[in-house]
Amino acid sequence: MFRNVDPLLKPKSIAIVGASETGGDGWSRVLFNNLKESGFPVPTYLINPRREELWGEKVYPNFASLPEAIDHALVIVPARFVNEMIREGIDNGLKAATIFSASFGEGRKNIGQGRGEELKEIIEDSGISVCGPNCMGLFCLPQDIQLYPTTRLRNLPKGEVGGIFHSGGTLGYWFAQAAERGLGFSYAMSCGNEFGLDSADYLNFLVNDPDTEIIVGMIESVRRPKEFMEAARRAFEKQKPVILMKLGSSELGKEQAKTHTGAVAVDDDVFNAMCHRYGITRCKSIDEMVDFALSFRQKRLPRGNKLAIVTTSGGAVGLTLEAVGDEGGELAQLSTESFKRMDDFVPEGVDVHNPMDAGSTLAAKVPDFCELCEMFAADDDVDIIAVQGRVPLADDEVKTPESYIKLKNSTDKPVFAFTRMSQNCDAALREFQDGAGMPFLFSVPTMVRSMLALVNYSAARRRGLPELPDASGTISNVSDDRLVEALSERGLTAPHQSTVSSPEEAAAAATQIGFPVVLKIISKEISHKTEAGGVVLDLRDANAVQEAAIVLQNKIGEDSIDSFLVQEMVNGLEMLVGVREDPDFGPIVVVGLGGVFVELMKDVSLRLAPVNKADAIEMLSELRGAKALEGFRGQAPRDIDALAQSIVSLSDFFVEHRTWLSEIEVNPVIVLEEGKGIRAVDVRPVRRD
């Protein structure tokens, strides 16, 4: 399932293939000097058939001439020579290679596609561990091995953050900036075209690595979703947060992902559902990824979702309210006792509230300000707290973080400090942040999103990971004769209805059901009846039903209509509930506002199956049109409980019968008034061949 990454990231020997002063834009020289700067942590050899000596070191003509078999080759030769070099290395015991060279079929021009296919075959047949091609290398700080071709990353601090980047250039910038903010690192790799190792292999390595506690990544696609999910499951079980910036959420982003790595981006909504299941935190930018990593580094998780935020200005309160509202956060409601205790403590004229403006007087007295924040943190309704902090200036009396340490030690809840805007981060800030033991986050929106990142990860931990049950249902349950009845037995109650073959039989069936009724065509050729004009509503007598059936035959064609469905007319809120088999991520549950507008509005929520009732209610709450369920403009509240149960039931039914179904959709599910249930009006199964 997972390929061996150890020879790549924990090599016992290294060879630079194509070593020269100018080759590869001078990268080979930089890589050599990086290793030299670290004191050559492993034996390092140079290969170039045209040189005998370089940088004071002996140069070998090929792998066969080396004094020992090599674990890891850094390949920096023109693309036309790469396959030959890799073959020769494999013949002489080579275990791993990082291929910096490009032109293996990537990009819109597909230059070198043939040699790319040949390289893939070499990798697959030999089992060699390959990073790239078309990558910018990696680093392995626990081994003091720096294999990224720049001097910028030479002195990175060691720490708990490991990274996976599909953009090699972005990797260098991110880790340099993240180090400025005070993070330390274990391993990082730029994936390149992923002809050999891919993001799932790297993720699995970092999950198992004792030096890595937080995993970050900028990815464009997932080549092996099942393996990626298995690695994510292991990360979840080992309580290692995974923070991802994923490209491909927009149409333009998807197009770039196709051309940049040669892989098709997965549907972003489905990817979101996968992240929700495995507790993966998604960030909107690589800047935000720094703040999220700092937040998780504290190793504290909130017990709930209630936020408390203490600022030192009214403007900061306004910014906070905007950010909390935009992100859907929930503010803690302070107790009467907390209000009283704080009112007695703050200067007269300062209003105690959440979020709070503590005022300039308290802001100038760091110990008093932090004592006020301790009172916030002590309130039972507060699950996580952020306080507006600053690094002491040169003329401040308090230059050490004792007050922040006291605040943090007063509670076991996560405690953040934040600034209103981004600022330069120097050694003084890093030292103060490390001493305080809490992150200093830049900007109010990022602070709020960081708090919610911990809230959501903690909620995922409380949910746990449900197992996907075996498909145990019988094929008879998905037959035309049995399907509607089988769903009704699970709470997806169908309206009173009858299937008939002629206009005359339709009129008779309608009389027996009772008016008004709906008349629908049944056709193997026509999946969406409404779009084809195959649905007639609100028929109020037998003649109207018979005439409507004749009109449908004439309009659509008798040969295209297999039969008619006569159904009682049900009024209520239309919803869609569906489950489909995603080829990459497995069964996906989809919920949204129903009827003909579902594709136009795209107001949907997705989860990986199976889901429970809490999941279903959470999905409904995420819809932009959720208020329609609660009663809107005089309408009665809908039966949310029955709707949630129907979501669970359809999910369970599909999971049990996925051997024979690739998709099943109920659209619309008519949600009646509270306490009156739902009606599964139109069931559309898609059976496997």
Side-chain angles (χ1 to χ4, degrees):
M1 177 181 287
F2 296 109
R3 274 101 36 141
N4 186 13
V5 186
D6 282 11
L8 190 83
L9 296 178
K10 297 180 178 180
K12 295 182 174 60
S13 56
I14 291 173
I16 301 177
V17 182
S20 70
E21 286 289 356
T22 58
D25 295 325
W27 283 7
S28 60
R29 176 173 47 81
V30 177
L31 290 167
F32 176 83
N33 286 332
N34 285 347
L35 291 165
K36 183 178 180 180
E37 181 81 10
S38 300
F40 292 115
V42 296
T44 301
Y45 302 95
L46 306 178
I47 295 179
N48 186 334
R50 298 179 181 178
R51 300 292 296 266
E52 294 183 357
E53 187 272 340
L54 186 64
W55 307 314
E57 299 288 333
K58 180 178 179 180
V59 180
Y60 297 84
N62 50 37
F63 285 99
S65 62
L66 294 173
E68 63 175 310
I70 297 300
D71 275 359
H72 187 171
L74 309 178
V75 182
I76 315 174
V77 298
R80 64 185 182 276
F81 300 125
V82 167
N83 292 355
E84 176 187 349
M85 297 301 300
I86 294 295
R87 280 199 182 96
E88 202 248 329
I90 293 168
D91 290 342
N92 288 277
L94 182 65
K95 297 177 181 177
T98 296
I99 303 175
F100 294 82
S101 316
S103 297
F104 287 88
E106 68 277 349
R108 290 179 172 86
K109 294 182 179 180
N110 295 322
I111 295 173
Q113 186 170 0
R115 77 169 67 99
E117 294 303 320
E118 181 185 5
L119 179 57
K120 288 179 184 177
E121 291 180 9
I122 294 170
I123 294 169
E124 185 173 350
D125 292 345
S126 66
I128 186 174
S129 301
V130 170
C131 178
N134 187 28
C135 73
M136 287 185 65
L138 43 91
F139 62 73
C140 323
L141 295 192
Q143 286 77 36
D144 294 317
I145 295 175
Q146 178 57 266
L147 304 179
Y148 186 87
T150 181
T151 59
R152 184 191 305 118
L153 303 186
R154 274 187 188 168
N155 298 309
L156 285 178
K158 295 180 181 179
E160 62 271 85
V161 179
I164 306 164
F165 279 67
H166 275 147
S167 168
T170 305
L171 182 154
Y173 283 104
W174 191 87
F175 280 92
Q177 180 59 32
E180 289 290 315
R181 293 287 304 279
L183 289 172
F185 313 106
S186 56
Y187 297 86
M189 56 293 298
S190 66
C191 303
N193 293 357
E194 295 186 325
F195 281 10
L197 302 171
D198 60 21
S199 58
D201 298 311
Y202 297 129
L203 178 58
N204 185 62
F205 171 87
L206 293 174
V207 168
N208 293 324
D209 174 54
D211 294 301
T212 304
E213 298 176 7
I214 299 169
I215 301 166
V216 301
M218 174 186 164
I219 64 173
E220 295 175 350
S221 58
V222 177
R223 294 181 183 274
R224 295 187 299 149
K226 290 180 174 57
E227 286 78 5
F228 191 90
M229 287 192 292
E230 173 60 20
R233 181 187 67 79
R234 296 179 182 184
F236 185 89
E237 291 174 347
K238 291 196 174 186
Q239 300 187 38
K240 293 190 177 185
V242 178
I243 305 165
L244 295 182
M245 165 69 182
K246 183 187 172 295
L247 306 182
S249 60
S250 68
E251 292 306 314
L252 286 175
K254 290 177 184 177
E255 182 62 26
Q256 173 66 10
K258 289 179 187 177
T259 58
H260 193 56
T261 63
V264 178
V266 299
D267 181 86
D268 199 59
D269 291 331
V270 177
F271 189 83
N272 257 341
M274 185 275 294
C275 289
H276 183 276
R277 169 58 51 88
Y278 293 101
I280 295 173
T281 299
R282 291 192 68 175
C283 49
K284 292 181 178 179
S285 70
I286 55 175
D287 295 277
E288 194 172 77
M289 192 156 64
V290 175
D291 290 88
F292 283 12
L294 285 167
S295 302
F296 277 102
R297 193 175 64 162
Q298 194 176 92
K299 298 180 182 177
R300 291 185 178 185
L301 294 178
R303 288 184 284 270
N305 67 336
K306 302 294 184 62
L307 317 181
I309 301 166
V310 187
T311 81
T312 58
S313 82
V317 168
L319 292 170
T320 297
L321 289 171
E322 289 285 330
V324 172
D326 289 344
E327 299 299 335
E330 187 170 350
L331 293 166
Q333 302 297 313
L334 303 178
S335 68
T336 303
E337 293 78 8
S338 294
F339 273 119
K340 176 68 170 62
R341 188 161 53 251
M342 292 184 218
D343 271 333
D344 292 342
F345 181 81
V346 300
E348 187 177 355
V350 173
D351 185 26
V352 177
H353 203 264
N354 181 30
M356 182 176 175
D357 169 14
S360 58
T361 302
L362 276 178
K365 300 177 180 178
V366 175
D368 289 349
F369 175 75
C370 287
E371 187 172 346
L372 172 67
C373 296
E374 289 180 33
M375 298 178 192
F376 267 84
D379 190 276
D380 289 339
D381 201 48
V382 171
D383 296 306
I384 182 170
I385 180 171
V387 303
Q388 189 173 341
R390 65 179 175 86
V391 178
L393 302 175
D395 58 350
D396 286 344
E397 293 182 7
V398 180
K399 294 185 174 63
T400 55
E402 276 79 6
S403 296
Y404 288 98
I405 296 171
K406 182 172 177 291
L407 165 60
K408 182 186 174 185
N409 290 342
S410 73
T411 181
D412 61 354
K413 301 171 185 178
V415 184
F416 296 170
F418 70 94
T419 62
R420 274 174 282 192
M421 295 178 64
S422 297
Q423 64 184 60
N424 291 330
C425 187
D426 56 14
L429 192 151
R430 290 191 294 273
E431 183 179 350
F432 194 85
Q433 177 177 251
D434 288 342
M438 66 176 69
F440 275 67
L441 308 179
F442 288 174
S443 91
V444 173
T446 299
M447 171 269 293
V448 170
R449 283 182 53 78
S450 298
M451 296 176 82
L452 294 178
L454 264 66
V455 165
N456 293 333
Y457 180 73
S458 182
R461 298 221 60 82
R462 292 193 298 272
R463 286 194 307 269
L465 295 179
E467 295 291 332
L468 184 65
D470 294 333
S472 58
T474 60
I475 192 171
S476 61
N477 283 337
V478 303
S479 67
D480 288 335
D481 295 336
R482 170 70 178 141
L483 179 61
V484 171
E485 181 183 0
L487 291 176
S488 293
E489 290 170 358
R490 295 173 180 245
L492 287 147
T493 308
H496 296 300
Q497 59 188 37
S498 180
T499 302
V500 298
S501 57
S502 69
E504 294 78 15
E505 290 178 3
T511 301
Q512 186 172 6
I513 291 171
F515 298 98
V517 297
V518 178
L519 180 69
K520 303 178 181 180
I521 63 167
I522 297 176
S523 171
K524 294 184 179 68
E525 300 176 10
I526 302 171
S527 178
H528 297 287
K529 307 176 185 67
T530 302
E531 288 86 336
V535 178
V536 184
L537 304 175
D538 202 24
L539 298 170
R540 294 187 170 272
D541 58 51
N543 288 334
V545 173
Q546 184 167 337
E547 290 174 6
I550 294 170
V551 169
L552 289 175
Q553 285 179 332
N554 293 334
K555 180 174 68 173
I556 295 172
E558 287 190 52
D559 293 341
S560 298
I561 299 175
D562 301 321
S563 55
F564 293 100
L565 179 68
V566 183
Q567 201 171 61
E568 71 169 309
M569 183 86 177
V570 182
N571 292 310
L573 180 65
E574 294 188 355
M575 299 290 294
L576 171 144
V577 181
V579 194
R580 66 178 176 85
E581 182 78 21
D582 184 87
D584 294 323
F585 293 99
I588 302 289
V589 183
V590 183
V591 176
L593 294 180
V596 297
F597 296 109
V598 63
E599 291 183 22
L600 176 65
M601 303 300 292
K602 293 186 170 143
D603 185 13
V604 295
S605 179
L606 282 73
R607 292 289 188 274
L608 297 191
V611 298
N612 58 30
K613 200 165 183 180
D615 296 325
I617 291 172
E618 185 179 57
M619 293 174 75
L620 294 172
S621 71
E622 292 172 357
L623 299 174
R624 295 191 302 274
K627 287 194 175 296
L629 289 164
E630 301 167 4
F632 186 68
R633 292 194 173 181
Q635 296 293 315
R638 302 290 104 185
D639 199 332
I640 297 174
D641 186 76
L643 175 59
Q645 186 56 55
S646 73
I647 296 168
V648 175
S649 296
L650 193 67
S651 167
D652 290 344
F653 183 85
F654 181 87
V655 167
E656 292 172 18
H657 296 86
R658 65 188 187 276
T659 303
W660 300 284
L661 291 173
S662 60
E663 182 178 345
I664 188 167
E665 176 182 288
V666 185
N667 182 25
V669 173
I670 300 293
V671 189
L672 306 178
E673 293 183 14
E674 191 172 11
K676 296 186 177 179
I678 58 98
R679 295 292 183 271
V681 171
D682 197 349
V683 178
R684 186 175 70 89
V686 179
R687 298 178 178 87
R688 297 186 187 275
D689 292 338

